[in-house]
Amino acid sequence: MAFGKSKRVEPFEAVYWDEIARFTVGRMMRDTVRKSKRGEGSHAVRFMARRAGDEYMVPGVYIVPLEPARSLSKGGFRLFEDEDSRQLLCTVLPVGSDRYQVTDATGRELGSVRRTPVTKRLTQQSLWMQQPGYPPIVAPRNWARGGSGPALSRGVGHVLDGVVESLLSFGSDEVADSGSTSKPVVWVAGAEAAEGEGADGEYGEAVLTCPRTTQSYNWYFVKREGWLDKRLAFALVVLRESEAFGADRR
């Protein structure tokens, strides 16, 4: 299989979806100044691969709307392991105005992506996750007391081994946080229960992180061997990127 429309690119080695630990969402194969060299293709969850010194964003999970005429957040979507849409990974379906049910290929519910009530959006990012058997997974705004260093040493170190130092140079791309000190957006299990703790209280386990970037797309980090079902992470990021950053158009 060749990726991209503008230039033929030799196939990259396939990566099983549950092995993806760093990913982005969009249509670009490469981030270049010249659009003709970007290799735009399928709307997909993409992972990083390097070849001959160049970085590529390789499609790993393909995004297919349930209702092509509507936005993903309104009509829902499916994620497939293959570009031909034969191997269904999961279905994300809106239920009411504040919940997206995520089911596997057999229809079994994996969990859900939830929309934060308006009354909480000053303190919590707009999308969060629920996975059966675990606490709510939310992203508090500017959740790190005492600066990004101590917070990352407590939480983000559990997200992806060896990336703490690189994450320290990043921050949040969330539009609503643009006027505040830049920090990574971190989805944390158990953060709501920790809200009543003192200044030294833990904020729960960090399971998904979005650092700030000066690039035209966002990278997300999730622990490769963690308990979070990555299909929930993919669903949340597809919704967030498509709504806030127009990832289906770039």
Side-chain angles (χ1 to χ4, degrees), residues 73 92-103 109-116 127-128 130 132 239:
S73 61
V92 183
L93 187 66
V95 179
S97 60
D98 64 350
R99 179 172 177 263
Y100 295 87
Q101 183 185 52
V102 183
T103 56
E109 184 169 357
L110 302 171
S112 61
V113 176
R114 304 295 299 269
R115 197 174 294 281
T116 302
L127 294 172
W128 56 284
Q130 281 189 319
L239 287 166

Side-chain angles (χ1 to χ4, degrees), residues 16-35:
Y16 181 56
W17 65 269
D18 201 31
E19 291 297 312
I20 296 174
R22 178 186 181 188
F23 64 96
T24 187
V25 172
R27 296 181 180 275
M28 288 194 305
M29 173 68 83
R30 298 176 63 191
D31 185 25
T32 65
V33 175
R34 290 180 57 183
K35 188 173 182 180

Side-chain angles (χ1 to χ4, degrees), residues 115-127 138-145 172-188 191 195 203 240 244-245:
R115 197 174 294 281
T116 302
V118 174
T119 54
K120 286 190 174 183
R121 290 188 186 176
L122 286 177
T123 58
Q124 182 177 313
Q125 302 288 336
S126 61
L127 294 172
V138 306
R141 294 190 186 276
N142 296 329
W143 65 292
R145 290 190 176 102
S172 171
D173 273 325
E174 188 80 347
V175 175
D177 283 346
S178 60
S180 59
T181 302
S182 294
K183 294 184 177 72
V185 179
V186 184
W187 280 265
V188 184
E195 286 181 355
Y203 284 83
R240 182 176 191 262
F245 306 108

Side-chain angles (χ1 to χ4, degrees), residues 200-223:
D200 295 329
E202 293 293 336
Y203 284 83
E205 179 185 358
V207 295
L208 176 67
T209 299
C210 176
R212 182 184 64 179
T213 176
T214 57
Q215 297 168 314
S216 58
Y217 51 90
N218 299 315
W219 285 109
Y220 293 80
F221 295 83
V222 62
K223 190 174 181 180

